[in-house]
Amino acid sequence: MGAIESNALISNKTINDFRINLLKCGLDLLEDKEHILVERIKNVIINMLDNETREPLDTNDSIFISTELHYNYTYLANIFSKVEGVTIQQYIILNKIERAKELLRYNELTLTEISYLLHYSSVAHLSNQFKKTTGVSPRSFKRQEQQRKCEISNL
């Protein structure tokens, strides 16, 4: 996330033009402190989940996020829910499941390895969250992906 500071007064037209050009590049202009904080929360979560080499956290997610951002977790959770419409925990689960789907598509790791990699307490826990989120079990998802690949390769 980048930041721009200016001591000069910037016109609304200039800001709107800048916003439009950012949107064309797939970026957005965040001016509101709450939205900026939510983006920081998301970045911490994404970094937390993408760091596959790290050991499982000694603390729970809420303490980790709170410590990283130096804010009370209740304050962070309230702002996040207000801005995003989902809780931080729901956001974490959705991102873990998306990561699990990616790993299942690669077909290089077992479900046990994926469960460990994403810091689930068990394969059953991952499977339950996966099915609750996607509507299918990880094994069914993997089968569907393999069928889809076969159909594409037969075209």
Side-chain angles (χ1 to χ4, degrees), residues 15-79:
I15 291 172
N16 285 334
D17 289 345
F18 186 61
R19 177 179 281 113
I20 289 167
N21 286 320
L22 284 174
L23 288 171
K24 288 178 184 175
C25 298
L27 301 171
D28 200 1
L29 180 63
L30 301 175
E31 300 175 82
D32 169 321
K33 288 185 182 198
E34 288 182 347
H35 283 84
I36 292 169
L37 184 56
V38 166
E39 287 303 312
R40 289 182 61 208
I41 295 167
K42 287 179 178 181
N43 287 336
V44 167
I45 292 168
I46 298 302
N47 289 335
M48 180 177 78
L49 297 177
D50 281 347
N51 188 359
E52 296 173 352
T53 58
R54 75 169 170 80
E55 290 299 312
L57 297 175
D58 293 336
T59 59
N60 61 29
D61 295 339
S62 59
I63 294 172
F64 180 79
I65 294 166
S66 178
T67 302
E68 285 290 306
L69 295 174
H70 308 291
Y71 283 98
N72 175 285
Y73 184 77
T74 303
Y75 173 73
L76 294 173
N78 288 335
I79 289 189

Side-chain angles (χ1 to χ4, degrees), residues 18 56 64 83 87 99 101 124 148:
F18 186 61
F64 180 79
V83 171
T87 66
R99 183 72 178 123
K101 286 164 60 176
R148 193 176 63 82

Side-chain angles (χ1 to χ4, degrees), residues 61-153:
D61 295 339
S62 59
I63 294 172
F64 180 79
I65 294 166
S66 178
T67 302
E68 285 290 306
L69 295 174
H70 308 291
Y71 283 98
N72 175 285
Y73 184 77
T74 303
Y75 173 73
L76 294 173
N78 288 335
I79 289 189
F80 193 91
S81 294
K82 176 181 160 190
V83 171
E84 289 297 308
V86 296
T87 66
I88 289 175
Q89 196 57 43
Q90 289 168 323
Y91 183 80
I92 290 170
I93 290 168
L94 291 171
N95 278 276
K96 278 185 166 186
I97 298 305
E98 284 304 312
R99 183 72 178 123
K101 286 164 60 176
E102 280 178 42
L103 294 169
L104 288 167
R105 280 186 193 107
Y106 293 143
N107 202 23
E108 294 174 358
L109 301 173
T110 66
L111 201 53
T112 302
E113 291 168 326
I114 292 170
S115 172
Y116 178 79
L117 192 65
L118 295 176
H119 307 289
Y120 277 94
S121 58
S122 67
V123 174
H125 186 205
L126 167 60
S127 294
N128 288 338
Q129 277 193 348
F130 194 98
K131 185 163 187 170
K132 187 177 179 183
T133 304
T134 65
V136 296
S137 70
R139 295 194 200 305
S140 295
F141 177 83
K142 195 172 185 174
R143 247 183 279 125
Q144 290 172 355
E145 286 296 306
Q146 288 171 341
Q147 287 174 346
R148 193 176 63 82
K149 284 180 185 177
C150 286
E151 289 170 4
I152 290 172
S153 65

